[in-house]
Amino acid sequence: MPSCFAPLYELEGMSTRDEESGYASASSSDESIPDVFFTKPHLTFLNRQLQNLEPPDILRWCITTLPSLYQTTAFGLTGLATLDMLSKLKIPRPQVVDLVFLDTLHHFSETLSLVGRVRKQYPLVNVHVYKPNGVDTAEEFAQKYGEKLWETNDQLYDWVAKVEPAQRAYRELQVNAVLTGRRRSQGGKRGDMDVIEVDEAGLIKVNPLANWTFKQVQDYIKANNVPYNELLDRGYQSIGDWHSTQPIKDGEDERAGRWKGQQKTECGIHNPRSKYAIFLREQEMKKQEEALQLALRS
């Protein structure tokens, strides 16, 4: 008699053991196991649970739950605190979470110096460095895209310096989930974010220190002798590229020094991917229109 129930896995993708048990396991073929994903109710439930946990407990959950987990960082205080917490987790068979650093070629020299100190203090952690495609220096970047691209076309700058390298890193490293350094107290679009999010492409983003304030992070850094950016001692709090970062004044939000005088609050990698897909289509249409006008005039 034929079964009235549809199988959860195609039989040809299952091992003999899978067929006998009716379940897929770690020993099953790749085809029989779905990629990591969360339904909306599951995501809501997880955020409700994780919201009440301290950062080390959130990180412990991440390591035991999320495969192909990496940490994206520009070596700000929150990212450094996360890195140090990970190094101190007491779990069986500890897993090293590698770092993804987007070298825009326009970082402060103090930031690049910090990378070396981090490597020395945490030798087990690999730092995967991704630069804008096809260039290795700021001079080469200017030759390819023109002087001060961040002023002439800031969306294109975000794409070539940050978004495309990030997407390339996720693809080449086969990243399923990333830890970020975002916190609610940073304000802007981050003010009401969840601990765990999923972007349009299905990438899982976890914000383990979402509930912490800048002071809590700073106190942790000092108490645990974590290396940090020297610019923090000169009035900077949120540090990105040299051309879009300034010290802040007393009473200002910690990210007030980023893109001073602009409406911008995010660097690009945390904006919706569809925004850049639309932008790239518009750029291509503009180039085609310019080429057509040139052909008509010649």
Side-chain angles (χ1 to χ4, degrees):
M1 178 181 296
S3 170
C4 62
F5 296 101
L8 292 178
Y9 299 95
E10 294 293 337
L11 291 180
E12 62 183 2
M14 299 179 70
S15 65
T16 302
R17 178 182 175 185
D18 295 335
E19 292 179 38
E20 293 174 351
S21 68
Y23 295 94
S25 66
S27 61
S28 307
S29 65
D30 291 342
E31 292 82 4
S32 68
I33 302 180
D35 291 331
V36 177
F37 71 94
F38 299 118
T39 63
K40 193 170 183 179
H42 191 188
L43 201 58
T44 300
F45 172 80
L46 286 174
N47 274 306
R48 193 163 57 240
Q49 300 301 112
L50 295 175
Q51 167 67 23
N52 299 314
L53 298 182
E54 288 298 315
D57 296 320
I58 295 174
L59 292 171
R60 186 175 291 105
W61 175 86
C62 289
I63 285 181
T64 57
T65 307
L66 303 174
S68 298
L69 175 68
Y70 286 76
Q71 180 183 351
T72 58
T73 184
F75 297 97
L77 274 193
T78 313
L80 293 166
T82 300
L83 171 62
D84 190 74
M85 289 178 188
L86 284 168
S87 74
K88 295 173 178 174
L89 284 182
K90 304 298 183 187
I91 57 175
R93 301 178 65 181
Q95 171 189 335
V96 175
V97 178
D98 285 351
L99 305 182
V100 175
F101 171 53
L102 305 178
D103 183 356
T104 65
L105 306 176
H106 298 88
H107 283 293
F108 288 94
S109 60
E110 290 86 350
T111 302
L112 299 178
S113 172
L114 174 61
V115 177
R117 287 188 283 135
V118 166
R119 279 179 161 142
K120 184 176 181 180
Q121 183 149 332
Y122 306 96
L124 297 180
V125 178
N126 295 313
V127 182
H128 302 274
V129 180
Y130 279 79
K131 298 180 179 181
N133 204 17
V135 292
D136 286 313
T137 66
E139 291 74 22
E140 291 178 2
F141 187 94
Q143 289 173 5
K144 185 171 183 177
Y145 297 105
E147 296 289 338
K148 298 183 178 181
L149 181 63
W150 53 89
E151 292 182 1
T152 60
N153 191 334
D154 71 318
Q155 285 198 74
L156 181 58
Y157 177 79
D158 281 351
W159 169 256
V160 299
K162 303 170 186 177
V163 181
E164 188 282 328
Q167 293 186 8
R168 183 163 23 103
Y170 300 155
R171 183 175 63 253
E172 292 180 1
L173 298 172
Q174 299 183 319
V175 177
N176 281 330
V178 294
L179 303 172
T180 86
R182 295 181 297 162
R183 292 178 287 103
R184 296 191 186 103
S185 65
Q186 292 170 325
K189 295 179 180 179
R190 306 182 178 196
D192 58 356
M193 69 183 184
D194 288 323
V195 172
I196 182 169
E197 305 167 304
V198 180
D199 76 5
E200 295 167 308
L203 179 70
I204 298 167
K205 292 187 174 184
V206 183
N207 313 303
L209 275 72
N211 293 324
W212 275 27
T213 64
F214 179 82
K215 186 177 185 309
Q216 284 178 292
V217 179
Q218 191 174 43
D219 289 346
Y220 179 92
I221 295 292
K222 291 179 178 178
N224 291 274
N225 296 314
V226 180
Y228 64 90
N229 199 315
E230 298 167 9
L231 293 173
L232 289 158
D233 296 328
R234 303 180 213 164
Y236 293 82
Q237 285 196 9
S238 177
I239 302 168
D241 291 335
W242 61 261
H243 53 71
S244 58
T245 307
Q246 299 178 27
I248 65 170
K249 299 176 182 177
D250 290 341
E252 284 187 315
D253 291 337
E254 64 180 276
R255 286 175 65 84
R258 303 290 294 277
W259 307 288
K260 202 85 168 180
Q262 302 179 41
Q263 294 300 312
K264 191 172 181 177
T265 60
E266 288 291 349
C267 68
I269 61 172
H270 298 302
N271 283 326
R273 298 193 191 199
S274 57
K275 171 184 175 181
Y276 292 97
I278 294 170
F279 167 72
L280 291 172
R281 282 199 299 270
E282 290 174 346
Q283 290 287 111
E284 184 60 30
M285 290 174 64
K286 182 180 178 182
K287 286 196 325 193
Q288 291 177 6
E289 178 66 24
E290 290 173 350
L292 178 60
Q293 293 299 326
L294 183 61
L296 292 172
R297 287 197 298 269
S298 59

